[in-house]
Amino acid sequence: MSEREDLVTVARSLYLRGYTFGTAGNISVRIGERVIISPTNSSFADLVEDGLAEVDMDGVHVAGPKPSKEVPFHLAVYRARPDANAVVHLHSCHATAVSCLADLDTADAMPIYTPYYAMRLPCLPVVDYLPPGDAALGPAVEAAAAKSPALLLRNHGSIAIGRSLKEASALAEEIEEQAKLHFLLGSRGRNLTAEQVAELRRRFQ
Ligand code: 13P
């Protein structure tokens, strides 16, 4: 499957399973020195292979329709993580709700309740609020992405990073489901202990 085909398939799957809605979110894949990204104001439901935007690593628009306004943070992720080839940004309900909590640990947004969440990311940093598309999101996301393959944008949504689109998508889903648990549990949650988390990371990373 080509990267373009993969991007269209992953985006549609996220849309059909309710992880994104309307024209929220954006998705990209890196191919060498080029990044293929969803067009601005497009829906994950109806992306097509030859209707994707293409930019170079400086953000210059080289082909296709007008790219997502979030090109600066997608490129920032690729600068921060040479092993990353895909970025998924969602406004999924529960992860976005966590990003809007008044009382939020911006170094690590959620407690660890389950093994897979612990295994897949070291922490969930939160980038301070900036308007969508703001160029300053680039350096802020670059710093956070260096610490973790997933992060939240304050009052906005999530960013998940992977070596492939499937990996980035799976991580975005893991964060959304963990955020759902966070609200379901409220103050009744029992976190994994620091020892249990360390043991999981030893075994599975
Ligand atoms: P784009 O339509 O420009 O990709 O913006 C949508 C979005 O989610 C902004 O963060």
Side-chain angles (χ1 to χ4, degrees):
M1 198 186 269
S2 75
E3 287 90 345
R4 282 173 181 264
E5 216 178 330
D6 217 11
L7 187 149
V8 167
T9 305
V10 166
R12 190 164 171 73
S13 169
L14 285 166
Y15 185 92
L16 291 175
R17 291 177 298 125
Y19 288 101
T20 186
F21 55 90
T23 62
N26 28 75
I27 178 167
S28 74
V29 63
R30 166 159 64 180
I31 309 172
E33 291 302 302
R34 293 285 166 90
V35 171
I36 309 294
I37 188 162
S38 47
T40 191
N41 298 322
S42 59
S43 166
F44 275 34
D46 44 38
L47 297 177
V48 290
E49 282 172 56
D50 57 4
L52 301 172
E54 191 170 334
V55 297
D56 69 16
M57 296 311 286
D58 296 321
V60 176
H61 180 203
V62 291
K66 189 175 176 193
S68 166
K69 66 174 80 61
E70 304 295 14
V71 161
F73 80 58
H74 284 254
L75 295 179
V77 166
Y78 295 124
R79 277 194 301 275
R81 301 185 80 89
D83 63 330
N85 295 308
V87 177
V88 171
H89 164 56
L90 300 179
H91 301 173
S92 59
C93 180
H94 299 85
T96 303
V98 171
S99 82
C100 299
L101 285 172
D103 190 14
L104 188 59
D105 176 357
T106 56
D108 194 5
M110 284 189 278
I112 298 175
Y113 299 113
T114 61
Y116 272 82
Y117 183 81
M119 285 147 52
R120 285 192 168 162
L121 68 168
C123 58
L124 187 62
V126 184
V127 170
D128 284 347
Y129 177 77
L130 283 162
D134 198 295
L137 274 171
V141 167
E142 191 168 342
K147 296 182 196 141
S148 177
L151 51 117
L152 296 182
L153 300 176
R154 195 87 166 105
N155 292 78
H156 185 164
S158 65
I159 297 178
I161 303 161
R163 284 164 296 189
S164 66
L165 283 157
K166 285 193 174 61
E167 194 175 86
S169 168
L171 188 53
E173 294 166 38
E174 185 70 41
I175 293 160
E176 172 59 14
E177 297 307 319
Q178 171 82 12
K180 203 182 285 179
L181 284 180
H182 187 48
F183 289 112
L184 276 172
L185 290 164
S187 58
R188 294 174 300 155
R190 180 247 175 217
N191 309 350
L192 293 180
T193 65
E195 293 71 30
Q196 288 168 331
V197 169
E199 164 61 6
L200 285 163
R201 289 178 177 157
R202 261 197 307 277
R203 276 197 206 193
F204 294 104
Q205 275 175 0

